[in-house]
Amino acid sequence: MLLDKSEEYVELNRRADKKLDALRGRTIINLFFESSTRTSTSFELAGKRLGADVINMSVATSAIKKGETLIDTAMTLNAMHPDVLVVRHPESGATKLLSEKVNCAVINAGDGSHEHPTQALLDALTIRRRLGRLQGLKIAICGDILHSRVARSNILLLTTMGAQVRLVGPKTLLPRHADRYGVEVFTDMKEGLEDCDIVMMLRLQTERMKGNFIPSIREYFLFYGLDYDKLGAAKEDALIMHPGPSNRGVEIDSEVADDFSRSVIREQVEMGVAVRMACLDILATQHENAEARNI
Ligand code: NCD
């Protein structure tokens, strides 16, 4: 249903006049404790295109710099009666904690290495629009799975939608019990990519690494960087995905990233706005109905 609703917004976003008044009078606060380009911009655009008032708060300009706790910030913002809070935070579970303290809807825009649900939704929409389905597709998620909230949310969503998910990466960057997620696990790229419909690359998330996980960038690229040679193991028309920001020459070869006959990286960004519009629309209105019923 969410993906179907997103499809309507894809069409709207391609029109000259992109503005609706579905959320007119509603207030959305984007609260980002971590830097972001794609996610914060697309949530802002999504809210504005639906006619809501959108406030962007980043840590650099808020009282958090002055030592206020997460909960205090949440309570302060809550007192201003927002309808939706969109939160990104470096700690896993922070968004959940915050949602328990406020009485508006809260959207997780990425919490530590835990989850990033709207990224998984936009990835699913991109795949479904390109290949017409998710059921039965072979999807390889490759690279730094251990620190990736994108991987975790995608594993949950894509397996639920009937895809066969594979995780590919060096042992040091795979979660310890990865096989318990209902996925296949590979440490060799060509084996993992064999016959795949989708190759989803992930960034090395060095900001979350405590210690050494790879011998060197050069060696990592040699074994795990996506180049045409490794891509050759996947289906001939396999699509390449990346949530961004991508590091060329680290997890993906520059030429491959720019090969728009195969790479849908730009489309992922486009779908991001549509999916976030659907999430904001559904949550703002559902929450309102719940409040009215005093739930
Ligand atoms: C991802 C994130 O923030 O988790 N980026 C994004 O939302 N587009 C992936 C990443 O930072 O590598």
Side-chain angles (χ1 to χ4, degrees):
M1 173 217 173
L2 213 142
L3 296 188
D4 294 338
K5 193 154 191 70
S6 307
E7 295 275 7
E8 293 169 28
Y9 293 129
V10 175
E11 296 314 314
L12 176 81
N13 288 336
R14 288 181 178 177
R15 295 212 299 253
D17 182 357
K18 304 171 181 61
K19 194 127 173 158
L20 295 181
D21 60 4
L23 296 189
R24 196 165 160 265
R26 312 297 196 291
T27 307
I28 297 166
I29 302 183
N30 290 331
L31 186 55
F32 278 66
F33 295 88
E34 247 186 22
S35 58
S36 165
T37 310
R38 279 153 266 263
T39 309
S40 65
T41 315
S42 61
F43 266 114
E44 180 177 355
L45 272 180
K48 287 183 170 165
R49 286 186 183 168
L50 290 170
D53 293 316
V54 183
I55 311 290
N56 295 309
M57 286 190 56
S58 68
V59 176
T61 50
S62 71
I64 295 148
K65 272 260 152 142
K66 300 179 183 167
E68 189 176 71
T69 66
L70 172 66
I71 303 299
D72 285 338
T73 308
M75 297 314 284
T76 305
L77 296 176
N78 193 45
M80 299 178 192
H81 302 291
D83 298 279
V84 184
L85 270 178
V86 179
V87 184
R88 169 169 284 195
H89 197 279
E91 298 296 330
S92 302
T95 318
K96 169 99 180 13
L97 177 71
L98 201 141
S99 72
E100 286 160 6
K101 308 286 174 190
V102 298
N103 47 20
C104 63
V106 176
I107 299 181
N108 183 359
D111 64 326
S113 48
H114 178 227
E115 282 233 41
H116 192 355
T118 57
Q119 178 69 42
L121 286 164
L122 76 86
D123 289 337
L125 180 65
T126 308
I127 299 170
R128 202 181 73 163
R129 283 175 63 89
R130 275 293 185 130
L131 302 181
R133 67 196 163 103
L134 289 152
Q135 180 76 35
L137 292 181
K138 290 195 179 79
I139 303 178
I141 306 179
C142 313
D144 183 4
I145 317 278
L146 184 66
H147 301 99
S148 176
R149 51 197 179 201
V150 175
R152 245 165 286 276
S153 287
N154 261 311
I155 293 167
L156 279 171
L157 182 63
L158 297 174
T159 55
T160 304
M161 306 285 274
Q164 295 170 26
V165 176
R166 301 168 175 191
L167 305 182
V168 192
K171 245 197 175 106
T172 49
L173 293 175
L174 286 164
R176 242 200 299 157
H177 301 295
D179 50 334
R180 290 191 195 159
Y181 297 146
V183 296
E184 281 183 280
V185 183
F186 296 86
T187 52
D188 180 88
M189 275 289 269
K190 282 190 179 168
E191 279 175 30
L193 261 51
E194 202 184 324
D195 210 27
C196 274
D197 300 280
I198 302 282
V199 182
M200 187 185 290
M201 299 308 298
L202 299 171
R203 184 176 63 90
L204 273 182
Q205 289 139 92
T206 46
E207 73 277 20
R208 293 195 194 104
M209 292 183 188
K210 294 185 183 86
N212 289 327
F213 287 80
I214 53 162
S216 71
I217 297 286
R218 218 175 135 259
E219 192 169 325
Y220 182 77
F221 182 72
L222 193 67
F223 287 100
Y224 295 100
L226 187 67
D227 53 17
Y228 281 115
D229 179 43
K230 299 184 193 80
L231 185 61
K235 281 201 179 132
E236 209 183 322
D237 53 356
L239 299 175
I240 302 157
M241 302 181 77
H242 195 308
S246 47
N247 287 323
R248 293 161 185 260
V250 181
E251 76 273 2
I252 191 160
D253 179 65
S254 212
E255 248 186 277
V256 173
D258 291 335
D259 181 350
F260 294 113
S261 66
R262 314 281 301 267
S263 159
V264 293
I265 297 174
R266 291 189 304 197
E267 237 164 276
Q268 288 174 269
V269 178
E270 183 189 1
M271 295 308 126
V273 181
V275 152
R276 285 162 183 139
M277 286 171 84
C279 291
L280 289 172
D281 190 356
I282 291 169
L283 277 176
T285 35
Q286 268 193 3
H287 194 78
E288 204 163 77
N289 296 340
E291 288 270 285
R293 293 198 306 273
N294 214 2
I295 296 173

PDB file of all heavy atoms in Angstrom, residues 116-146:
ATOM      1  N   HIS A 116      17.126   1.855   8.941  1.00  0.00           N
ATOM      2  CA  HIS A 116      16.897   3.024   8.085  1.00  0.00           C
ATOM      3  C   HIS A 116      15.717   2.656   7.177  1.00  0.00           C
ATOM      4  O   HIS A 116      15.878   2.432   5.975  1.00  0.00           O
ATOM      5  CB  HIS A 116      18.166   3.298   7.273  1.00  0.00           C
ATOM      6  CG  HIS A 116      18.187   4.610   6.555  1.00  0.00           C
ATOM      7  ND1 HIS A 116      17.123   5.486   6.518  1.00  0.00           N
ATOM      8  CD2 HIS A 116      19.176   5.203   5.832  1.00  0.00           C
ATOM      9  CE1 HIS A 116      17.458   6.541   5.804  1.00  0.00           C
ATOM     10  NE2 HIS A 116      18.687   6.395   5.384  1.00  0.00           N
ATOM     11  N   PRO A 117      14.527   2.601   7.772  1.00  0.00           N
ATOM     12  CA  PRO A 117      13.373   2.032   7.052  1.00  0.00           C
ATOM     13  C   PRO A 117      13.002   2.729   5.751  1.00  0.00           C
ATOM     14  O   PRO A 117      12.667   2.039   4.774  1.00  0.00           O
ATOM     15  CB  PRO A 117      12.215   2.161   8.057  1.00  0.00           C
ATOM     16  CG  PRO A 117      12.824   2.493   9.372  1.00  0.00           C
ATOM     17  CD  PRO A 117      14.192   3.026   9.143  1.00  0.00           C
ATOM     18  N   THR A 118      13.076   4.061   5.694  1.00  0.00           N
ATOM     19  CA  THR A 118      12.640   4.703   4.439  1.00  0.00           C
ATOM     20  C   THR A 118      13.629   4.442   3.297  1.00  0.00           C
ATOM     21  O   THR A 118      13.255   4.467   2.138  1.00  0.00           O
ATOM     22  CB  THR A 118      12.405   6.237   4.598  1.00  0.00           C
ATOM     23  OG1 THR A 118      13.607   6.850   5.092  1.00  0.00           O
ATOM     24  CG2 THR A 118      11.249   6.523   5.541  1.00  0.00           C
ATOM     25  N   GLN A 119      14.894   4.158   3.639  1.00  0.00           N
ATOM     26  CA  GLN A 119      15.853   3.789   2.593  1.00  0.00           C
ATOM     27  C   GLN A 119      15.456   2.438   1.981  1.00  0.00           C
ATOM     28  O   GLN A 119      15.452   2.265   0.763  1.00  0.00           O
ATOM     29  CB  GLN A 119      17.272   3.719   3.170  1.00  0.00           C
ATOM     30  CG  GLN A 119      18.328   3.298   2.159  1.00  0.00           C
ATOM     31  CD  GLN A 119      18.607   4.337   1.082  1.00  0.00           C
ATOM     32  OE1 GLN A 119      18.694   5.521   1.379  1.00  0.00           O
ATOM     33  NE2 GLN A 119      18.732   3.906  -0.167  1.00  0.00           N
ATOM     34  N   ALA A 120      15.081   1.491   2.850  1.00  0.00           N
ATOM     35  CA  ALA A 120      14.670   0.169   2.345  1.00  0.00           C
ATOM     36  C   ALA A 120      13.416   0.303   1.483  1.00  0.00           C
ATOM     37  O   ALA A 120      13.301  -0.337   0.431  1.00  0.00           O
ATOM     38  CB  ALA A 120      14.436  -0.783   3.509  1.00  0.00           C
ATOM     39  N   LEU A 121      12.497   1.158   1.897  1.00  0.00           N
ATOM     40  CA  LEU A 121      11.267   1.339   1.118  1.00  0.00           C
ATOM     41  C   LEU A 121      11.562   1.935  -0.255  1.00  0.00           C
ATOM     42  O   LEU A 121      11.015   1.493  -1.264  1.00  0.00           O
ATOM     43  CB  LEU A 121      10.283   2.248   1.879  1.00  0.00           C
ATOM     44  CG  LEU A 121       9.599   1.594   3.075  1.00  0.00           C
ATOM     45  CD1 LEU A 121       8.964   2.648   3.979  1.00  0.00           C
ATOM     46  CD2 LEU A 121       8.533   0.598   2.612  1.00  0.00           C
ATOM     47  N   LEU A 122      12.476   2.907  -0.297  1.00  0.00           N
ATOM     48  CA  LEU A 122      12.787   3.517  -1.602  1.00  0.00           C
ATOM     49  C   LEU A 122      13.559   2.540  -2.476  1.00  0.00           C
ATOM     50  O   LEU A 122      13.400   2.532  -3.706  1.00  0.00           O
ATOM     51  CB  LEU A 122      13.511   4.856  -1.419  1.00  0.00           C
ATOM     52  CG  LEU A 122      14.994   4.903  -1.023  1.00  0.00           C
ATOM     53  CD1 LEU A 122      15.905   4.817  -2.224  1.00  0.00           C
ATOM     54  CD2 LEU A 122      15.284   6.188  -0.277  1.00  0.00           C
ATOM     55  N   ASP A 123      14.352   1.689  -1.855  1.00  0.00           N
ATOM     56  CA  ASP A 123      15.057   0.661  -2.630  1.00  0.00           C
ATOM     57  C   ASP A 123      14.056  -0.338  -3.212  1.00  0.00           C
ATOM     58  O   ASP A 123      14.138  -0.712  -4.383  1.00  0.00           O
ATOM     59  CB  ASP A 123      16.087  -0.065  -1.745  1.00  0.00           C
ATOM     60  CG  ASP A 123      17.275   0.836  -1.399  1.00  0.00           C
ATOM     61  OD1 ASP A 123      17.536   1.796  -2.147  1.00  0.00           O
ATOM     62  OD2 ASP A 123      17.946   0.577  -0.379  1.00  0.00           O
ATOM     63  N   ALA A 124      13.097  -0.746  -2.389  1.00  0.00           N
ATOM     64  CA  ALA A 124      12.074  -1.697  -2.857  1.00  0.00           C
ATOM     65  C   ALA A 124      11.264  -1.083  -4.002  1.00  0.00           C
ATOM     66  O   ALA A 124      10.968  -1.747  -5.003  1.00  0.00           O
ATOM     67  CB  ALA A 124      11.151  -2.094  -1.702  1.00  0.00           C
ATOM     68  N   LEU A 125      10.928   0.200  -3.875  1.00  0.00           N
ATOM     69  CA  LEU A 125      10.152   0.873  -4.929  1.00  0.00           C
ATOM     70  C   LEU A 125      10.960   0.935  -6.228  1.00  0.00           C
ATOM     71  O   LEU A 125      10.439   0.664  -7.312  1.00  0.00           O
ATOM     72  CB  LEU A 125       9.763   2.286  -4.465  1.00  0.00           C
ATOM     73  CG  LEU A 125       8.941   3.119  -5.448  1.00  0.00           C
ATOM     74  CD1 LEU A 125       7.559   2.508  -5.682  1.00  0.00           C
ATOM     75  CD2 LEU A 125       8.788   4.565  -4.959  1.00  0.00           C
ATOM     76  N   THR A 126      12.247   1.269  -6.109  1.00  0.00           N
ATOM     77  CA  THR A 126      13.119   1.352  -7.295  1.00  0.00           C
ATOM     78  C   THR A 126      13.162  -0.004  -8.012  1.00  0.00           C
ATOM     79  O   THR A 126      13.021  -0.088  -9.235  1.00  0.00           O
ATOM     80  CB  THR A 126      14.555   1.768  -6.884  1.00  0.00           C
ATOM     81  OG1 THR A 126      14.491   2.950  -6.092  1.00  0.00           O
ATOM     82  CG2 THR A 126      15.438   2.008  -8.085  1.00  0.00           C
ATOM     83  N   ILE A 127      13.348  -1.067  -7.234  1.00  0.00           N
ATOM     84  CA  ILE A 127      13.437  -2.409  -7.826  1.00  0.00           C
ATOM     85  C   ILE A 127      12.105  -2.793  -8.471  1.00  0.00           C
ATOM     86  O   ILE A 127      12.046  -3.271  -9.597  1.00  0.00           O
ATOM     87  CB  ILE A 127      13.831  -3.465  -6.753  1.00  0.00           C
ATOM     88  CG1 ILE A 127      15.194  -3.135  -6.143  1.00  0.00           C
ATOM     89  CG2 ILE A 127      13.823  -4.871  -7.361  1.00  0.00           C
ATOM     90  CD1 ILE A 127      15.560  -3.972  -4.921  1.00  0.00           C
ATOM     91  N   ARG A 128      11.005  -2.558  -7.734  1.00  0.00           N
ATOM     92  CA  ARG A 128       9.693  -2.959  -8.238  1.00  0.00           C
ATOM     93  C   ARG A 128       9.345  -2.232  -9.531  1.00  0.00           C
ATOM     94  O   ARG A 128       8.791  -2.811 -10.453  1.00  0.00           O
ATOM     95  CB  ARG A 128       8.624  -2.708  -7.175  1.00  0.00           C
ATOM     96  CG  ARG A 128       7.380  -3.540  -7.389  1.00  0.00           C
ATOM     97  CD  ARG A 128       6.320  -3.256  -6.350  1.00  0.00           C
ATOM     98  NE  ARG A 128       5.683  -1.951  -6.555  1.00  0.00           N
ATOM     99  CZ  ARG A 128       4.522  -1.611  -6.002  1.00  0.00           C
ATOM    100  NH1 ARG A 128       3.897  -2.459  -5.200  1.00  0.00           N
ATOM    101  NH2 ARG A 128       3.997  -0.430  -6.230  1.00  0.00           N
ATOM    102  N   ARG A 129       9.698  -0.954  -9.607  1.00  0.00           N
ATOM    103  CA  ARG A 129       9.401  -0.203 -10.833  1.00  0.00           C
ATOM    104  C   ARG A 129      10.234  -0.705 -12.006  1.00  0.00           C
ATOM    105  O   ARG A 129       9.772  -0.754 -13.128  1.00  0.00           O
ATOM    106  CB  ARG A 129       9.667   1.292 -10.627  1.00  0.00           C
ATOM    107  CG  ARG A 129       8.576   1.973  -9.840  1.00  0.00           C
ATOM    108  CD  ARG A 129       8.954   3.406  -9.564  1.00  0.00           C
ATOM    109  NE  ARG A 129       9.105   4.192 -10.776  1.00  0.00           N
ATOM    110  CZ  ARG A 129       8.115   4.858 -11.382  1.00  0.00           C
ATOM    111  NH1 ARG A 129       6.912   4.829 -10.873  1.00  0.00           N
ATOM    112  NH2 ARG A 129       8.344   5.546 -12.475  1.00  0.00           N
ATOM    113  N   ARG A 130      11.488  -1.096 -11.734  1.00  0.00           N
ATOM    114  CA  ARG A 130      12.369  -1.567 -12.812  1.00  0.00           C
ATOM    115  C   ARG A 130      12.045  -2.994 -13.254  1.00  0.00           C
ATOM    116  O   ARG A 130      12.047  -3.301 -14.431  1.00  0.00           O
ATOM    117  CB  ARG A 130      13.822  -1.526 -12.332  1.00  0.00           C
ATOM    118  CG  ARG A 130      14.480  -0.193 -12.498  1.00  0.00           C
ATOM    119  CD  ARG A 130      14.651   0.119 -13.977  1.00  0.00           C
ATOM    120  NE  ARG A 130      15.396   1.354 -14.168  1.00  0.00           N
ATOM    121  CZ  ARG A 130      16.446   1.450 -14.976  1.00  0.00           C
ATOM    122  NH1 ARG A 130      16.873   0.406 -15.647  1.00  0.00           N
ATOM    123  NH2 ARG A 130      17.051   2.604 -15.117  1.00  0.00           N
ATOM    124  N   LEU A 131      11.818  -3.876 -12.273  1.00  0.00           N
ATOM    125  CA  LEU A 131      11.681  -5.292 -12.617  1.00  0.00           C
ATOM    126  C   LEU A 131      10.255  -5.825 -12.429  1.00  0.00           C
ATOM    127  O   LEU A 131       9.984  -6.993 -12.684  1.00  0.00           O
ATOM    128  CB  LEU A 131      12.672  -6.139 -11.803  1.00  0.00           C
ATOM    129  CG  LEU A 131      14.162  -5.759 -11.985  1.00  0.00           C
ATOM    130  CD1 LEU A 131      15.065  -6.659 -11.166  1.00  0.00           C
ATOM    131  CD2 LEU A 131      14.585  -5.830 -13.452  1.00  0.00           C
ATOM    132  N   GLY A 132       9.370  -4.960 -11.955  1.00  0.00           N
ATOM    133  CA  GLY A 132       7.956  -5.336 -11.870  1.00  0.00           C
ATOM    134  C   GLY A 132       7.573  -6.170 -10.668  1.00  0.00           C
ATOM    135  O   GLY A 132       6.399  -6.486 -10.478  1.00  0.00           O
ATOM    136  N   ARG A 133       8.551  -6.575  -9.877  1.00  0.00           N
ATOM    137  CA  ARG A 133       8.246  -7.428  -8.720  1.00  0.00           C
ATOM    138  C   ARG A 133       9.444  -7.483  -7.789  1.00  0.00           C
ATOM    139  O   ARG A 133      10.543  -7.027  -8.159  1.00  0.00           O
ATOM    140  CB  ARG A 133       7.921  -8.849  -9.173  1.00  0.00           C
ATOM    141  CG  ARG A 133       9.132  -9.528  -9.750  1.00  0.00           C
ATOM    142  CD  ARG A 133       8.845 -10.770 -10.551  1.00  0.00           C
ATOM    143  NE  ARG A 133      10.020 -11.057 -11.360  1.00  0.00           N
ATOM    144  CZ  ARG A 133      10.916 -11.995 -11.092  1.00  0.00           C
ATOM    145  NH1 ARG A 133      10.771 -12.791 -10.059  1.00  0.00           N
ATOM    146  NH2 ARG A 133      11.967 -12.172 -11.858  1.00  0.00           N
ATOM    147  N   LEU A 134       9.237  -8.075  -6.623  1.00  0.00           N
ATOM    148  CA  LEU A 134      10.349  -8.347  -5.704  1.00  0.00           C
ATOM    149  C   LEU A 134      10.437  -9.852  -5.442  1.00  0.00           C
ATOM    150  O   LEU A 134      11.515 -10.406  -5.228  1.00  0.00           O
ATOM    151  CB  LEU A 134      10.133  -7.598  -4.379  1.00  0.00           C
ATOM    152  CG  LEU A 134      10.305  -6.081  -4.518  1.00  0.00           C
ATOM    153  CD1 LEU A 134       9.484  -5.333  -3.494  1.00  0.00           C
ATOM    154  CD2 LEU A 134      11.777  -5.695  -4.383  1.00  0.00           C
ATOM    155  N   GLN A 135       9.270 -10.484  -5.490  1.00  0.00           N
ATOM    156  CA  GLN A 135       9.148 -11.920  -5.264  1.00  0.00           C
ATOM    157  C   GLN A 135      10.132 -12.715  -6.135  1.00  0.00           C
ATOM    158  O   GLN A 135      10.169 -12.540  -7.352  1.00  0.00           O
ATOM    159  CB  GLN A 135       7.700 -12.326  -5.618  1.00  0.00           C
ATOM    160  CG  GLN A 135       7.374 -13.796  -5.449  1.00  0.00           C
ATOM    161  CD  GLN A 135       7.191 -14.169  -3.989  1.00  0.00           C
ATOM    162  OE1 GLN A 135       6.684 -13.365  -3.205  1.00  0.00           O
ATOM    163  NE2 GLN A 135       7.618 -15.364  -3.626  1.00  0.00           N
ATOM    164  N   GLY A 136      10.940 -13.533  -5.497  1.00  0.00           N
ATOM    165  CA  GLY A 136      11.820 -14.446  -6.221  1.00  0.00           C
ATOM    166  C   GLY A 136      13.118 -13.830  -6.763  1.00  0.00           C
ATOM    167  O   GLY A 136      13.957 -14.554  -7.296  1.00  0.00           O
ATOM    168  N   LEU A 137      13.286 -12.520  -6.628  1.00  0.00           N
ATOM    169  CA  LEU A 137      14.518 -11.908  -7.154  1.00  0.00           C
ATOM    170  C   LEU A 137      15.709 -12.274  -6.274  1.00  0.00           C
ATOM    171  O   LEU A 137      15.576 -12.421  -5.059  1.00  0.00           O
ATOM    172  CB  LEU A 137      14.395 -10.384  -7.190  1.00  0.00           C
ATOM    173  CG  LEU A 137      13.398  -9.774  -8.173  1.00  0.00           C
ATOM    174  CD1 LEU A 137      13.445  -8.256  -8.069  1.00  0.00           C
ATOM    175  CD2 LEU A 137      13.697 -10.214  -9.603  1.00  0.00           C
ATOM    176  N   LYS A 138      16.869 -12.396  -6.911  1.00  0.00           N
ATOM    177  CA  LYS A 138      18.109 -12.647  -6.153  1.00  0.00           C
ATOM    178  C   LYS A 138      18.812 -11.306  -5.964  1.00  0.00           C
ATOM    179  O   LYS A 138      19.217 -10.656  -6.933  1.00  0.00           O
ATOM    180  CB  LYS A 138      19.026 -13.594  -6.920  1.00  0.00           C
ATOM    181  CG  LYS A 138      18.519 -15.019  -6.988  1.00  0.00           C
ATOM    182  CD  LYS A 138      19.659 -15.934  -7.423  1.00  0.00           C
ATOM    183  CE  LYS A 138      19.221 -17.379  -7.479  1.00  0.00           C
ATOM    184  NZ  LYS A 138      18.456 -17.693  -8.709  1.00  0.00           N
ATOM    185  N   ILE A 139      18.933 -10.895  -4.707  1.00  0.00           N
ATOM    186  CA  ILE A 139      19.491  -9.572  -4.408  1.00  0.00           C
ATOM    187  C   ILE A 139      20.719  -9.724  -3.511  1.00  0.00           C
ATOM    188  O   ILE A 139      20.628 -10.287  -2.417  1.00  0.00           O
ATOM    189  CB  ILE A 139      18.428  -8.688  -3.709  1.00  0.00           C
ATOM    190  CG1 ILE A 139      17.182  -8.578  -4.611  1.00  0.00           C
ATOM    191  CG2 ILE A 139      19.003  -7.312  -3.369  1.00  0.00           C
ATOM    192  CD1 ILE A 139      16.027  -7.785  -4.038  1.00  0.00           C
ATOM    193  N   ALA A 140      21.868  -9.237  -4.006  1.00  0.00           N
ATOM    194  CA  ALA A 140      23.098  -9.312  -3.197  1.00  0.00           C
ATOM    195  C   ALA A 140      23.357  -7.951  -2.558  1.00  0.00           C
ATOM    196  O   ALA A 140      23.412  -6.937  -3.244  1.00  0.00           O
ATOM    197  CB  ALA A 140      24.274  -9.703  -4.094  1.00  0.00           C
ATOM    198  N   ILE A 141      23.482  -7.946  -1.225  1.00  0.00           N
ATOM    199  CA  ILE A 141      23.844  -6.719  -0.502  1.00  0.00           C
ATOM    200  C   ILE A 141      25.310  -6.897  -0.112  1.00  0.00           C
ATOM    201  O   ILE A 141      25.669  -7.868   0.559  1.00  0.00           O
ATOM    202  CB  ILE A 141      22.949  -6.522   0.744  1.00  0.00           C
ATOM    203  CG1 ILE A 141      21.461  -6.561   0.348  1.00  0.00           C
ATOM    204  CG2 ILE A 141      23.284  -5.213   1.449  1.00  0.00           C
ATOM    205  CD1 ILE A 141      20.482  -6.393   1.509  1.00  0.00           C
ATOM    206  N   CYS A 142      26.170  -5.960  -0.579  1.00  0.00           N
ATOM    207  CA  CYS A 142      27.607  -6.217  -0.498  1.00  0.00           C
ATOM    208  C   CYS A 142      28.388  -5.141   0.246  1.00  0.00           C
ATOM    209  O   CYS A 142      28.134  -3.952   0.057  1.00  0.00           O
ATOM    210  CB  CYS A 142      28.203  -6.274  -1.906  1.00  0.00           C
ATOM    211  SG  CYS A 142      27.274  -7.278  -3.054  1.00  0.00           S
ATOM    212  N   GLY A 143      29.367  -5.596   1.020  1.00  0.00           N
ATOM    213  CA  GLY A 143      30.304  -4.660   1.647  1.00  0.00           C
ATOM    214  C   GLY A 143      30.202  -4.654   3.163  1.00  0.00           C
ATOM    215  O   GLY A 143      30.158  -5.712   3.795  1.00  0.00           O
ATOM    216  N   ASP A 144      30.134  -3.445   3.711  1.00  0.00           N
ATOM    217  CA  ASP A 144      30.149  -3.278   5.171  1.00  0.00           C
ATOM    218  C   ASP A 144      28.751  -3.489   5.764  1.00  0.00           C
ATOM    219  O   ASP A 144      28.063  -2.548   6.137  1.00  0.00           O
ATOM    220  CB  ASP A 144      30.667  -1.867   5.494  1.00  0.00           C
ATOM    221  CG  ASP A 144      30.792  -1.613   6.989  1.00  0.00           C
ATOM    222  OD1 ASP A 144      30.546  -2.549   7.775  1.00  0.00           O
ATOM    223  OD2 ASP A 144      31.132  -0.474   7.361  1.00  0.00           O
ATOM    224  N   ILE A 145      28.360  -4.757   5.836  1.00  0.00           N
ATOM    225  CA  ILE A 145      27.018  -5.095   6.350  1.00  0.00           C
ATOM    226  C   ILE A 145      26.955  -4.810   7.855  1.00  0.00           C
ATOM    227  O   ILE A 145      25.948  -4.327   8.368  1.00  0.00           O
ATOM    228  CB  ILE A 145      26.710  -6.612   6.143  1.00  0.00           C
ATOM    229  CG1 ILE A 145      27.136  -7.102   4.761  1.00  0.00           C
ATOM    230  CG2 ILE A 145      25.263  -6.934   6.473  1.00  0.00           C
ATOM    231  CD1 ILE A 145      26.233  -6.854   3.639  1.00  0.00           C
ATOM    232  N   LEU A 146      28.054  -5.099   8.531  1.00  0.00           N
ATOM    233  CA  LEU A 146      28.084  -5.009  10.000  1.00  0.00           C
ATOM    234  C   LEU A 146      27.623  -3.647  10.518  1.00  0.00           C
ATOM    235  O   LEU A 146      26.851  -3.572  11.461  1.00  0.00           O
ATOM    236  CB  LEU A 146      29.516  -5.289  10.493  1.00  0.00           C
ATOM    237  CG  LEU A 146      29.704  -5.317  12.004  1.00  0.00           C
ATOM    238  CD1 LEU A 146      28.959  -6.493  12.637  1.00  0.00           C
ATOM    239  CD2 LEU A 146      31.192  -5.381  12.364  1.00  0.00           C
TER     240      LEU A 146
END
